[in-house]
Amino acid sequence: MVNDDGTARVAGHGTARAERPGTVTGQGRGRPRGRPRSFDRETALEKALLAFWEHGYEATSVSDLTRVMDIGAPSLYAAFGDKRSLFEEVVQVYGARYGSFADRALAEEPTARAAVERTLREAAAAYTEPGHPHGCLVVHAAANCSTPEVERSLRDRRNANIAVFESRIRADVAAGVLPPGTDAAALARHTGAMIQGMSQQARDGASREELEAVAEIALSIWPRTGTHTG
């Protein structure tokens, strides 16, 4: 309860002035005027991204996140929702900021093989780039994940990437760029296996040059082009 002058009434002890950070006592009838601690949302999100990337989804706790993001749990929940919601946003940001090289290659290269070659070479560079954890967040964050919704979301994202490669390979088969007998599904899944394997190899310490050599070998198994070369 409060007294007429805005001070808090403490039972059996008269009055105690309610002083909180940001409160101007004696003015405005003692109303709190402070606001919760502010923070840069994008900076905090990037720090969360790096934590998930380094440790995976399951091993990154809410207390880990509040520590690296330098915010309290109430601020985290207010700004991002729960841990799973924060992770979903992190994955979106990761895809746009760090993992878009495959999308660009597929959009800009004239053939499926050229797109795969560019993707593997750029993966070798991106997965070993200094300044952030090595490998791919979408691959690594799923390791030992016991949250079905998160595991399924990451799996669906990886499978969707393979499906895009398969579609592009089938288009090249139809256009005569690849032989009619080309197994588009197997070739696309081979590409996915290479990308995911390169991610783990990068985390295990493989250099860019070593991964580029792996990419070169992976490309050597592609079938010969058909008679149509356009």
Side-chain angles (χ1 to χ4, degrees), residues 39-58:
F39 63 94
D40 185 291
R41 191 179 190 282
E42 291 305 311
T43 299
L45 184 60
E46 177 70 10
K47 291 177 178 178
L49 185 156
L50 294 174
F52 281 125
W53 194 351
E54 177 66 32
H55 303 292
Y57 178 81
E58 209 67 40

Side-chain angles (χ1 to χ4, degrees), residues 69-224:
M69 297 166 77
D70 194 26
I71 60 175
S75 294
L76 185 153
Y77 293 127
F80 301 101
D82 58 12
K83 174 184 169 182
R84 180 180 160 194
S85 298
L86 170 59
F87 181 71
E88 289 173 355
E89 186 170 351
V90 158
V91 171
Q92 293 293 328
V93 172
Y94 172 84
R97 189 173 299 167
Y98 299 101
S100 60
F101 53 84
D103 291 338
R104 290 194 303 269
L106 285 161
E108 297 171 7
E109 296 300 327
T111 65
R113 188 189 189 284
V116 169
E117 179 177 9
R118 175 173 165 182
T119 295
L120 294 182
R121 292 192 184 283
E122 293 195 11
Y127 292 168
T128 58
E129 186 178 26
H132 58 66
H134 286 178
C136 173
L137 180 147
V138 176
V139 174
H140 178 61
N144 301 317
C145 181
S146 61
T147 305
E149 297 83 0
V150 172
E151 195 279 330
R152 182 171 56 250
S153 174
L154 294 172
R155 182 179 66 244
D156 289 348
R157 183 176 288 269
R158 293 191 300 271
N159 285 336
N161 290 338
I162 292 172
V164 174
F165 281 113
E166 181 178 346
S167 177
R168 186 65 180 277
I169 293 167
R170 290 190 185 281
D172 278 6
V173 172
V177 176
L178 290 172
T182 299
D183 189 336
L187 198 53
R189 194 156 292 281
H190 173 265
T191 300
M194 293 307 306
I195 293 170
Q196 294 170 32
M198 289 170 70
S199 171
Q200 185 58 53
Q201 287 288 306
R203 291 191 69 86
D204 289 346
S207 68
R208 174 177 177 175
E209 293 73 20
E210 288 171 329
L211 294 182
E212 286 176 340
V214 169
E216 191 68 30
I217 294 172
L219 290 163
S220 69
I221 63 95
W222 272 67
R224 294 178 179 275

